[in-house]
Amino acid sequence: MSKEYSRNYIESVKLELLNRLGLKQVYYKGQAGDDLLYEATGFDRGTEHKFCVRTKKGTIDEMVGGKWMKVRSFTIKSKEQ
């Protein structure tokens, strides 16, 4: 059974992605199991990114070439209340 996360936690993770990864906009797309899915646009024209936040480990994966690849040296600092 997957856990449901609070709106505050989802928004704090979204802000963290914006600030720490240097993205222009981040959109929360939903939840898949215990993972949170986000889509983002970068400052370069036409750049789009898909991220999966692994809440159990606090890590982030990015969709690259149809596969989820771990974003190295990046962990979520936001904690659920």
Side-chain angles (χ1 to χ4, degrees):
M1 177 96 184
S2 62
K3 182 177 181 177
E4 192 169 320
Y5 294 93
S6 69
R7 178 58 62 194
N8 288 340
Y9 179 70
I10 291 168
E11 288 299 316
S12 69
V13 171
K14 176 180 163 179
L15 289 173
E16 194 170 337
L17 288 172
L18 270 171
N19 296 332
R20 292 181 59 203
L21 293 179
L23 299 166
K24 187 175 183 181
Q25 290 182 311
V26 176
Y27 306 96
Y28 174 68
K29 297 307 278 184
Q31 186 172 339
D34 286 331
D35 302 332
L36 303 176
L37 303 173
Y38 292 88
E39 287 186 2
T41 56
F43 281 102
D44 294 334
R45 188 174 184 191
T47 57
E48 294 182 0
H49 307 274
K50 291 184 180 184
F51 294 101
C52 178
V53 177
R54 309 287 184 188
T55 55
K56 288 184 178 182
K57 296 180 183 177
T59 60
I60 294 181
D61 293 352
E62 182 176 7
M63 179 71 75
V64 178
K67 293 182 181 178
W68 289 110
M69 304 294 287
K70 184 177 179 182
V71 177
R72 296 172 60 125
S73 303
F74 190 97
T75 56
I76 293 294
K77 294 180 180 176
S78 301
K79 300 292 181 200
E80 189 183 1
Q81 293 132 354

